[in-house]
Amino acid sequence: AAAASGGGGAVPCPLLLLLLFLPGLAAGPAGMLQPRDTPSRERKELGGLWSFRADLSPGRDAGFAQRWYRRPLRQTGPVIDMPVPASFNDITQDRSLENYIGWVWYEKEVLLPLRWLQGDPAPRVVLRFGSAHYYSIVWVNGVQVVEHEGGHLPFEADISSVVQGSPGTLCRITVALNNTLTPHTLPPGSIQYMSDKARYPRNYFVQNIRFDFFNYAGIHRPVVLYTTPAAYIDDITVTTTSSENVAMVQYQVSVVGSTANSLSLSLRDQEGKVVATGDGPVGELKVLNPNLWWPYLMHENPGYLYSLEVKMQAQVGAALLEDVYTLPVGIRTVHVTSTQFLINGRPFYFHGVNKHEDADIRGKGLDWPLIVKDFNLLRWLGANSFRTSHYPYAEEIMDLCDAYGIVVIDESPGVGIKLPESFGNKSLQHHLAVMEELIRRDKNRPSVVMWSVANEPASELPPAAQYFKTVIAHTKALDPSRPVTFVTDANYALDRGAPYVDVICVNSYFSWYHDPGHLEVIPLQLTAQFENWYKAYQKPIIQSEYGADSVPGLHSDPPMMFSEEYQKAMLREYHAVFDKKRKEYVIGELIWNFADFMTNQGTTRVLGNKKGIFTRQRQPKAAAFVLRDRYWKIANESSCLPPVITSHSLFL
């Protein structure tokens, strides 16, 4: 699909596009602990209205040529209010912004507490973005502090020297943001220039993408300022093992700023009782009779979290500094056999969904009412899992997965990797860096049971073998505790990446994209799909996507495509095959999709993709009730809970 640019369709300055993708500009810090209020740390959230200006100059380069970051943005020209977090595309009535490609500018002026700027040594002040799409350059009081490539993971900068060296307490934060995608970004894209002057305006171009969701842009997740002491806890890594009535919590803590005088750890249960203690940067905690972290519907108390409190004391000059950080910890194990996925030694069957961060008006912007509504719908549905299709989701969403026991396949933004040039060294190095950022953020989450490095790449191409061998090996080296997969739609006999995964995840749309309208082909084709993949690899299989578009309120009997009846009928045909194969080696089914979502405009999309079992406004279609009955039935069959679970007995 192609999206026309706004502002008269001006071509982005080639020099600026070159600047965007120079290597080494966005090296991040070693640790990326989620900001939390603790006795030694403070947070200041910067959500709300920011000043906003799209660079509509012919080369999209006026902001850099005129150095808009040197003075308040309102002094450079017209600005409008823009909510943060949110995508900017659907907020205004300006059609050019909806499909705008190029640089936009955000600005926020913040008053800092005086105590943040005083002391010997003064606190460390950090500016953190949950995510911004796609390439960000950030200035504070006119001083550049960070650059970051990637639209779905956090980045931050220590701005202490900037704000503590400025007169007064005013902190002016300026962000230049570019949503241009190239063959080497994740996800990839390309700019196509339309040179036929008889058909297109001067300098007209489109952004081509090879993924089926809208390329929303903006500051999508919360922006916060937070403090730490000058010497601080930089990173914590936790892994857990358990056997019989004993669990071991292995930990590694890194500190920055000084050699710690002392480092102590306390693990507390949900009642606040200390169940284990330790000291030093590396070690393990022994927990007797542990409460394990269990998935939703697999235990009467799912999502059990301990609190690991880490305290550090360090001498910096004449001052004795203390830093405290508390990390939620779930004790659980994950293991994969040739036919099963085991959580805490018990077979786990994924009956869940694929989702998108997508909703009316806000686009991909984080929205708490929407998040809570989605989790209520997941639990109503009886879904125990989802895949973060097709990019990492917000930390706030992941927090609730940990707390509620929703199992997650955590997927990178590696969607739409279709062209040979997207398998080259430049793309590979960026993909490796993205996996490092993702694992650094989510490595301690019990809800994350598997990494997915890509969705539907052209894995039949010759360079895909070395590419995915390298990405998967790198992922395993960073985190040996979890299995790794990618999601394929290639032919089992041609896929060059499948030899390296731990679990086969396969997408198929029989009777939709293949043999459209012919439901009768599903039993034969789906059965053959499973049997061919298992015979080739002897690995457990997840049906990672299947589904059909349905327009809410459109009915047809006999079922016809796009009717709610056809969506229901397709699901039931798939389910009949799943029920046979899940007794053997099929370990999961994830419907495409949880809710309708926006896509680029095209002749096959009517205001977006309609494969949701819920509408974009989160109202159920008929298929939602089919899936609900199925998921609760599966939960009852596999549950160890007395008494038998009903759909009315939990979380309703």
Side-chain angles (χ1 to χ4, degrees), residues 69-204:
Y69 52 87
R70 287 282 186 90
R71 51 187 173 146
L73 193 61
R74 62 185 177 274
Q75 295 179 9
T76 70
V79 297
I80 61 174
D81 287 336
M82 186 61 66
V84 170
S87 302
F88 62 72
N89 308 81
D90 296 342
I91 298 294
T92 75
Q93 302 308 109
D94 185 348
R95 188 174 65 178
S96 69
L97 272 186
E98 184 175 5
N99 293 301
Y100 178 89
I101 302 295
W103 290 101
V104 299
W105 293 70
Y106 285 81
E107 187 176 85
K108 182 81 166 179
E109 293 182 336
V110 185
L111 287 173
L112 300 183
L114 194 59
R115 63 184 176 277
W116 286 19
L117 310 177
Q118 298 176 334
D120 186 18
R124 174 174 167 262
V125 181
V126 182
L127 172 63
R128 178 188 174 105
F129 291 77
S131 77
H133 188 75
Y134 172 81
Y135 194 97
S136 306
I137 306 176
V138 182
W139 296 262
V140 173
N141 295 341
V143 178
Q144 184 177 326
V145 295
V146 69
E147 299 189 30
H148 183 259
E149 179 182 354
H152 310 281
L153 287 164
F155 58 97
E156 62 182 30
D158 183 338
I159 64 170
S160 309
S161 61
V162 178
V163 296
Q164 289 163 2
S166 301
T169 60
L170 185 66
C171 176
R172 180 168 53 84
I173 301 165
T174 309
V175 182
L177 191 60
N178 194 311
N179 62 342
T180 304
L181 301 178
T182 78
H184 308 296
T185 57
L186 278 186
S190 61
I191 296 294
Q192 182 179 359
Y193 301 94
M194 303 301 190
S195 57
D196 186 345
K197 295 180 180 179
R199 300 179 61 198
Y200 300 100
R202 185 170 175 266
N203 292 331
Y204 190 81

Side-chain angles (χ1 to χ4, degrees), residues 380-381 548-556 559 562-572 575 591 593-594 596 610-615 618-630:
W380 173 87
L381 195 63
D549 285 78
S550 68
V551 177
L554 182 63
H555 298 287
S556 173
F562 293 98
S563 69
E564 294 195 45
E565 286 73 19
Y566 193 90
Q567 188 181 37
K568 287 169 54 180
M570 173 188 271
L571 265 57
R572 286 177 169 140
H575 295 165
I591 188 71
N593 192 282
F594 172 74
D596 295 344
K610 294 292 192 291
K611 291 190 182 67
I613 58 169
F614 298 100
T615 67
R618 275 50 179 184
Q619 297 304 314
K621 302 178 189 176
F625 296 94
V626 171
L627 212 61
R628 183 179 191 239
D629 289 345
R630 174 172 179 78

Side-chain angles (χ1 to χ4, degrees), residues 479-495:
D479 177 22
S481 71
R482 291 177 177 87
V484 181
T485 190
F486 75 88
V487 175
T488 183
D489 63 348
N491 184 287
Y492 77 97
L494 302 177
D495 194 303

Side-chain angles (χ1 to χ4, degrees), residues 323-355:
D323 190 21
V324 181
Y325 189 87
T326 302
L327 179 76
V329 171
I331 297 175
R332 64 104 182 92
T333 60
V334 172
H335 183 64
V336 176
T337 73
S338 62
T339 59
Q340 291 182 316
F341 195 99
L342 304 174
I343 295 180
N344 299 330
R346 295 182 185 171
F348 176 78
Y349 186 78
F350 294 79
H351 46 91
V353 302
N354 295 276
K355 294 180 87 273

Side-chain angles (χ1 to χ4, degrees), residues 259-403:
T259 303
N261 292 6
S262 69
L263 191 64
S264 62
L265 300 92
S266 300
L267 188 70
R268 299 177 185 271
D269 63 18
Q270 290 187 349
E271 284 70 49
K273 178 184 176 183
V274 175
V275 298
T277 60
D279 58 75
V282 179
E284 61 181 10
L285 308 176
K286 184 177 181 180
V287 184
L288 300 178
N289 300 313
N291 291 297
L292 300 182
W293 186 95
W294 287 102
Y296 175 53
L297 300 180
M298 204 171 175
H299 191 271
E300 60 188 356
N301 188 14
Y304 191 96
L305 295 174
Y306 291 85
S307 296
L308 180 64
E309 183 183 73
V310 182
K311 287 186 177 181
M312 180 208 74
Q313 286 189 333
Q315 192 76 36
V316 179
L320 181 64
L321 302 181
E322 181 176 83
D323 190 21
V324 181
Y325 189 87
T326 302
L327 179 76
V329 171
I331 297 175
R332 64 104 182 92
T333 60
V334 172
H335 183 64
V336 176
T337 73
S338 62
T339 59
Q340 291 182 316
F341 195 99
L342 304 174
I343 295 180
N344 299 330
R346 295 182 185 171
F348 176 78
Y349 186 78
F350 294 79
H351 46 91
V353 302
N354 295 276
K355 294 180 87 273
H356 265 298
E357 290 181 319
D358 173 278
D360 291 329
I361 302 174
R362 60 195 59 76
K364 291 192 179 302
L366 182 132
D367 181 78
W368 272 114
L370 184 74
I371 291 172
V372 174
K373 178 66 173 179
D374 281 2
F375 274 95
N376 284 329
L377 288 175
L378 285 171
R379 296 185 296 185
W380 173 87
L381 195 63
N384 63 8
S385 53
F386 66 76
R387 173 169 63 116
T388 68
S389 48
H390 299 297
Y391 39 81
Y393 291 176
E395 289 164 290
E396 291 80 359
I397 292 174
M398 305 299 286
D399 286 343
L400 290 185
C401 291
D402 289 339

